[in-house]
Amino acid sequence: MKIVTRSDLPSLRRSVDQGTEEQRRAVKEIITEVKSRGDEAVFAYTRQFDEVSLESLKVNPDEFDQAYESVDGEFVEILTEAAANIRSFHEKQLSQSWFDTSSDGTLLGQKITALDAAGVYVPGGTAAYPSSVFMNVIPAQVAGVDHIVMCTPPGEDGKVPAGVLVAARILGITEVYKAGGAQAIAALAYGTETIPAVDKITGPGNVFVALAKREVFGDVDIDMIAGPSEIAILADESAASTEIAADLLSQAEHDARSSSVLITTSAVLAEAVNNAVEEQLNDLPREDIARQSVKDYGMAVVCPTMQDAVDTVNEIAPEHLEILTSDPYQQLGKIKHAGAIFLGPYSSEPVGDYFAGPNHVLPTNGTARFSSPLNVDDFVKKSSVIAYSEEALKKNVDKIARFARLEGLEAHARAVEKRKERWK
Amino acid sequence: MKIVTRSDLPSLRRSVDQGTEEQRRAVKEIITEVKSRGDEAVFAYTRQFDEVSLESLKVNPDEFDQAYESVDGEFVEILTEAAANIRSFHEKQLSQSWFDTSSDGTLLGQKITALDAAGVYVPGGTAAYPSSVFMNVIPAQVAGVDHIVMCTPPGEDGKVPAGVLVAARILGITEVYKAGGAQAIAALAYGTETIPAVDKITGPGNVFVALAKREVFGDVDIDMIAGPSEIAILADESAASTEIAADLLSQAEHDARSSSVLITTSAVLAEAVNNAVEEQLNDLPREDIARQSVKDYGMAVVCPTMQDAVDTVNEIAPEHLEILTSDPYQQLGKIKHAGAIFLGPYSSEPVGDYFAGPNHVLPTNGTARFSSPLNVDDFVKKSSVIAYSEEALKKNVDKIARFARLEGLEAHARAVEKRKERWK
């Protein structure tokens, strides 16, 4: 871990993986094939990429049952409690339609409607996280999306990991399809005989998934393309160095490109955290990944004042921010850019990954400057409502017509003026 | 205008203009040049594309004064009143930060923060609409964005149209830059010596602008890529055919690719509207455009029942929808997908373009299925706030650690468990 001063802080922004020319071409071809050949193409790509010949794309009820029987009761209980917490938090995000009336009879408003259908992509293998199933599905359910489906690549045994199926069943999701990569994204965007087309696709994936999401964006909506995980910890001398080290490593173990940064007013703390990180690294199962991440993107930034430290946080705009100062609430109002903010020593970052309730799908790579955690608003859309009254139009028709003519749009002017014939 | 039955309705979706290979390459090159050479590149592209040699990129106060003096007082009054209406509507969209506390001391919440900086692109020439300035700037102002700048290509005289500068001054916007096309988008995304980098770019433009927005998306946020304008009118036999015709033509005059569709339960009305459209087309200043649009994308769909008609509307997911039935509020709840919904005979579509208050930047080309009018939420972002209490962590630490280990993330488990040392 490097210890640097604020002025020496290198940019932590990393270019989004746009893939190679060859990958982009492959993705375009896969999308074209799935669009024109449907299920047949999905089966073929599954044989090619996942090396398994499926008999059917849809996970059947027996497979759900087997998954459920393969896990212990306590696991189901923990998952069920986590799901309830996540649901409870997201229910508070629900927006309401509203309207405003004028005494002249006019009504203006905004109508909120859930999307018809949402598709969740769950990556395969070791990255097939039950928590991701919760974080992507629950906001859509709370929003009122009627039709939610999941796609995930099958393992070599043709099966979907038990944890994923158990998580889906806890949420009442029954439509899970064995399809991964760009072919899954294409199927969700355009539909096949078996896999239904949806209006929005969310969920993380490898570079092929990310490129395919970029490609179908506009025909359907997508969530943000996620980069490697990040944590920034804002701390003063009151913080515990071993806790900081443990929390930094919880992000470092995700990916060799993850970044974990301590921002502190205390050079002593920076030194102690550096030592604790070295010590704790030694017996981590994912030591290699974490060590590489700490080496390349781990850093302690020593700042002369707390205001400097806060400014540094805002420049980074981290995905996760922990505030471990003697007065964490005092700093909250100064934080402008962060995906999720964890206050105080008991809010270790993994508390938010699994259990507390807020979403763990968060803006990475500085995009917290302009984007938000995945939330219920991502699964609804608004329609403006305009019910102009006769009185309002009488009063304003000439102004509206004048405005339209100033913009050179005569037919616009005539449309509103056409109503004047009613008053002759 | 074609009169068709619902089963004969062709798809109205049009592929988004992805540009030619050459256009995409040109846009990439422009972005690279502006990124590396800044102002110098913007000046050079302005000479090349706008055929004008500028002395400075920024519009100076004298130019604002001259613009103000060149327009009459009534124009300013109408614009000022429209801006006040638009502001008033958008103020009702403001979301609040919220939090929720538990008796164990835990606080969970969602913090709303405005973006730091927004950039509005205003296209040049006849499409330089003061109303677009209002519709893009006001939501950002209401959201609390401190820094709002505008880019617009200069005319051959090196000037910006007076209407645009007057609209900007009414809103208190003083930073207007003479830059258009992909070079303006690149400057707003990455900054130059003169033009500041922003966090979000909104506003319509030609294919180069659209391609550049797609290219910088991810480094900054963008609004939706807009397609040609659309109107759908849901009407029964109670509606006035001449008013419907006038409203259909108000969209048809925008662009030869605009679509204007009547959806009705009355074959008699469809026939009458068709005749009225032909008649009203004859003396429109933009007759050629409107006629082409009506020929290619104008249609009357005759449906056997009102439910069929409503279903047709939802399939189209129109940008603008007028409901001209005897009971417009009765249909409102059935409309799932539309950008803006205009109820009753006095809510002619141009009322919403200029004056009523709701935004005229609306989802086109069926994207109302999953996107919304431009609104205040587009200029803020959320941060989750998690302040777990000691009691809450004590109760849940083992569950959280167990969950983390089930997902194979040992360092996550150790991070929360590290706090147990406090209780030894």
Side-chain angles (χ1 to χ4, degrees):
Chain A
M1 204 164 138
K2 286 175 279 291
I3 301 184
V4 301
T5 58
R6 190 181 163 203
S7 52
D8 291 334
L9 177 68
S11 170
L12 292 164
R13 302 268 153 83
R14 276 154 285 173
S15 314
V16 175
D17 191 349
Q18 301 263 14
T20 62
E21 193 64 49
E22 201 178 321
Q23 286 171 331
R24 284 200 296 274
R25 216 177 8 244
V27 163
K28 281 194 187 191
E29 189 188 313
I30 291 170
I31 293 173
T32 308
E33 287 293 303
V34 172
K35 249 177 161 171
S36 69
R37 289 169 50 225
D39 281 352
E40 194 192 327
V42 177
F43 278 118
Y45 287 121
T46 307
R47 273 194 301 273
Q48 184 180 343
F49 299 124
D50 304 304
E51 299 181 358
V52 53
S53 280
L54 297 175
E55 283 184 15
S56 95
L57 294 176
K58 193 171 176 182
V59 173
N60 65 47
D62 284 351
E63 290 175 282
F64 275 100
D65 289 342
Q66 283 159 21
Y68 230 78
E69 283 155 23
S70 75
V71 299
D72 72 45
E74 199 191 329
F75 173 65
V76 175
E77 259 174 51
I78 295 174
L79 254 62
T80 305
E81 188 176 349
N85 291 345
I86 296 164
R87 191 173 301 277
S88 164
F89 184 84
H90 287 80
E91 280 169 351
K92 300 188 182 84
Q93 294 177 330
L94 253 181
S95 302
Q96 301 297 321
S97 298
W98 55 263
F99 63 85
D100 189 51
T101 52
S102 308
S103 56
D104 69 15
T106 292
L107 177 148
L108 301 175
Q110 185 173 280
K111 181 179 191 280
I112 306 273
T113 318
L115 306 194
D116 282 342
V120 176
Y121 185 81
V122 179
T126 54
Y129 296 142
S131 59
S132 289
V133 173
F134 287 173
M135 295 297 182
N136 282 280
V137 170
I138 292 174
Q141 289 185 322
V142 171
V145 177
D146 279 334
H147 195 182
I148 302 172
V149 305
M150 241 162 74
C151 277
T152 189
E156 283 175 23
D157 56 357
K159 288 189 177 167
V160 171
V164 169
L165 293 184
V166 170
R169 177 170 276 192
I170 286 172
L171 303 181
I173 299 296
T174 55
E175 274 188 67
V176 179
Y177 299 97
K178 296 172 185 172
Q183 59 275 20
I185 303 302
L188 289 171
Y190 304 108
T192 69
E193 300 88 328
T194 306
I195 302 173
V198 300
D199 299 307
K200 180 159 191 161
I201 303 171
T202 67
N206 64 16
V207 65
F208 292 99
V209 170
L211 290 175
K213 280 166 74 179
R214 254 185 192 270
E215 199 64 33
V216 302
F217 174 52
D219 288 332
V220 298
D221 199 13
I222 59 168
D223 58 355
M224 267 290 186
I225 308 289
S229 193
E230 307 158 353
I231 186 168
I233 300 183
L234 176 69
D236 62 17
E237 66 292 340
S238 72
S241 58
T242 54
E243 292 177 357
I244 293 175
D247 291 0
L248 291 174
L249 290 175
S250 78
Q251 293 312 294
E253 77 169 339
H254 270 298
D255 187 324
R257 298 177 71 230
S258 295
S259 85
S260 40
V261 179
L262 166 67
I263 299 149
T264 180
T265 47
S266 164
V268 175
L269 182 74
E271 200 55 58
V273 168
N274 191 23
N275 294 336
V277 164
E278 282 306 316
E279 201 188 307
Q280 292 180 25
L281 262 174
N282 285 326
D283 64 338
L284 275 184
R286 295 164 70 92
E287 182 188 340
D288 290 352
I289 293 170
R291 193 173 287 284
Q292 190 66 43
S293 157
V294 167
K295 180 167 168 280
D296 293 344
Y297 299 103
M299 226 163 295
V301 189
V302 180
C303 297
T305 66
M306 188 47 75
Q307 186 59 52
D308 274 298
V310 165
D311 291 345
T312 306
V313 169
N314 284 327
E315 279 157 28
I316 296 174
E319 181 190 18
H320 303 98
L321 171 69
E322 289 185 4
I323 306 185
L324 295 173
T325 61
S326 56
D327 55 354
Y329 282 100
Q330 200 60 28
Q331 310 306 327
L332 184 57
K334 297 179 191 143
I335 300 302
K336 297 203 290 183
H337 312 305
I341 306 169
F342 297 76
L343 300 180
Y346 303 105
S347 310
S348 173
E349 191 276 338
V351 166
D353 282 342
Y354 301 113
F355 204 78
N359 211 289
H360 79 197
V361 180
L362 298 167
T364 53
N365 205 22
T367 58
R369 287 177 295 124
F370 51 77
S371 47
S372 304
L374 192 66
N375 67 90
V376 172
D377 286 339
D378 290 320
F379 295 96
V380 303
K381 71 277 184 350
K382 300 153 187 162
S383 302
S384 303
V385 177
I386 299 176
Y388 232 43
S389 66
E390 181 173 2
E391 193 183 325
L393 190 66
K394 256 187 190 160
K395 201 174 82 185
N396 296 313
V397 61
D398 291 336
K399 300 177 214 167
I400 297 169
R402 175 96 202 274
F403 202 150
R405 289 196 171 100
L406 282 161
E407 296 198 342
L409 296 171
E410 177 65 22
H412 282 61
R414 292 189 192 175
V416 284
E417 284 176 346
K418 183 58 83 181
R419 272 64 179 184
K420 290 172 100 168
E421 292 172 14
R422 291 179 172 243
W423 306 317
K424 268 181 187 157
Chain B
M1 206 164 136
K2 286 176 280 291
I3 301 183
V4 300
T5 58
R6 190 182 164 203
S7 52
D8 289 335
L9 177 68
S11 170
L12 293 164
R13 302 268 153 82
R14 277 155 283 173
S15 313
V16 175
D17 191 349
Q18 301 263 15
T20 62
E21 193 62 50
E22 202 179 321
Q23 286 170 332
R24 283 200 297 273
R25 214 173 14 240
V27 164
K28 280 194 186 191
E29 190 189 311
I30 292 170
I31 292 172
T32 308
E33 287 293 302
V34 172
K35 249 178 161 169
S36 68
R37 291 169 50 224
D39 281 352
E40 194 192 326
V42 178
F43 278 118
Y45 287 122
T46 306
R47 274 195 301 276
Q48 183 180 343
F49 298 125
D50 304 305
E51 298 180 358
V52 55
S53 281
L54 297 175
E55 285 184 14
S56 95
L57 293 176
K58 193 173 174 180
V59 173
N60 65 46
D62 284 351
E63 290 175 283
F64 276 99
D65 289 343
Q66 283 160 20
Y68 230 80
E69 282 155 22
S70 75
V71 299
D72 72 45
E74 199 192 327
F75 174 64
V76 175
E77 259 174 52
I78 295 174
L79 254 62
T80 305
E81 187 175 348
N85 290 346
I86 297 163
R87 192 173 300 278
S88 165
F89 184 83
H90 286 80
E91 280 169 350
K92 300 189 181 83
Q93 293 177 330
L94 253 179
S95 302
Q96 302 297 321
S97 298
W98 55 261
F99 64 84
D100 189 52
T101 52
S102 309
S103 56
D104 68 16
T106 292
L107 177 147
L108 300 176
Q110 185 173 280
K111 181 178 190 282
I112 305 274
T113 318
L115 306 193
D116 282 342
V120 175
Y121 185 82
V122 179
T126 53
Y129 297 142
S131 58
S132 290
V133 173
F134 287 173
M135 295 298 183
N136 283 279
V137 170
I138 293 174
Q141 288 185 322
V142 171
V145 177
D146 279 334
H147 195 182
I148 301 172
V149 306
M150 240 163 72
C151 277
T152 188
E156 283 175 23
D157 56 358
K159 289 190 175 165
V160 172
V164 168
L165 292 185
V166 170
R169 178 169 273 192
I170 287 172
L171 302 182
I173 299 297
T174 56
E175 274 188 69
V176 179
Y177 299 97
K178 295 173 186 171
Q183 60 273 24
I185 302 303
L188 289 170
Y190 304 108
T192 69
E193 300 87 329
T194 306
I195 303 173
V198 300
D199 299 306
K200 179 159 191 163
I201 303 172
T202 67
N206 64 17
V207 66
F208 293 98
V209 170
L211 290 176
K213 281 166 73 179
R214 252 183 195 271
E215 199 66 32
V216 301
F217 174 53
D219 288 331
V220 298
D221 199 13
I222 60 166
D223 58 354
M224 264 292 182
I225 309 288
S229 192
E230 308 157 352
I231 187 169
I233 300 181
L234 176 68
D236 61 19
E237 66 294 339
S238 72
S241 57
T242 54
E243 293 177 355
I244 293 175
D247 290 0
L248 291 173
L249 289 176
S250 77
Q251 293 312 295
E253 78 169 337
H254 270 298
D255 187 323
R257 296 177 72 229
S258 295
S259 85
S260 40
V261 179
L262 166 67
I263 299 149
T264 181
T265 46
S266 165
V268 175
L269 182 74
E271 199 56 57
V273 168
N274 190 24
N275 294 336
V277 164
E278 282 306 316
E279 202 188 307
Q280 292 178 26
L281 261 174
N282 285 326
D283 64 340
L284 275 185
R286 296 166 69 93
E287 181 188 342
D288 289 354
I289 293 170
R291 194 174 287 282
Q292 191 67 46
S293 156
V294 167
K295 181 167 168 278
D296 293 344
Y297 299 102
M299 227 164 295
V301 189
V302 180
C303 297
T305 67
M306 188 48 73
Q307 187 57 53
D308 274 298
V310 166
D311 291 345
T312 306
V313 169
N314 284 327
E315 279 157 29
I316 295 174
E319 181 190 17
H320 303 99
L321 171 69
E322 289 185 4
I323 306 185
L324 295 173
T325 60
S326 56
D327 55 354
Y329 282 100
Q330 199 60 27
Q331 309 307 326
L332 184 56
K334 297 179 191 144
I335 302 302
K336 296 201 291 182
H337 313 305
I341 305 169
F342 297 76
L343 300 181
Y346 303 105
S347 309
S348 173
E349 191 276 337
V351 166
D353 282 341
Y354 301 113
F355 205 79
N359 211 289
H360 79 197
V361 180
L362 298 168
T364 53
N365 205 23
T367 60
R369 287 176 296 125
F370 51 77
S371 47
S372 304
L374 192 66
N375 67 89
V376 172
D377 286 339
D378 290 321
F379 295 96
V380 303
K381 73 279 189 337
K382 300 152 188 163
S383 302
S384 303
V385 177
I386 300 175
Y388 232 43
S389 67
E390 182 173 3
E391 192 183 327
L393 191 66
K394 257 189 191 159
K395 202 174 80 184
N396 296 312
V397 60
D398 291 336
K399 298 177 213 167
I400 297 169
R402 174 96 203 272
F403 202 150
R405 291 197 170 98
L406 283 161
E407 295 198 342
L409 296 171
E410 177 65 22
H412 282 62
R414 291 189 193 175
V416 285
E417 284 176 346
K418 182 59 81 181
R419 273 64 181 183
K420 290 173 100 169
E421 292 171 13
R422 292 180 171 242
W423 306 316
K424 268 181 189 157

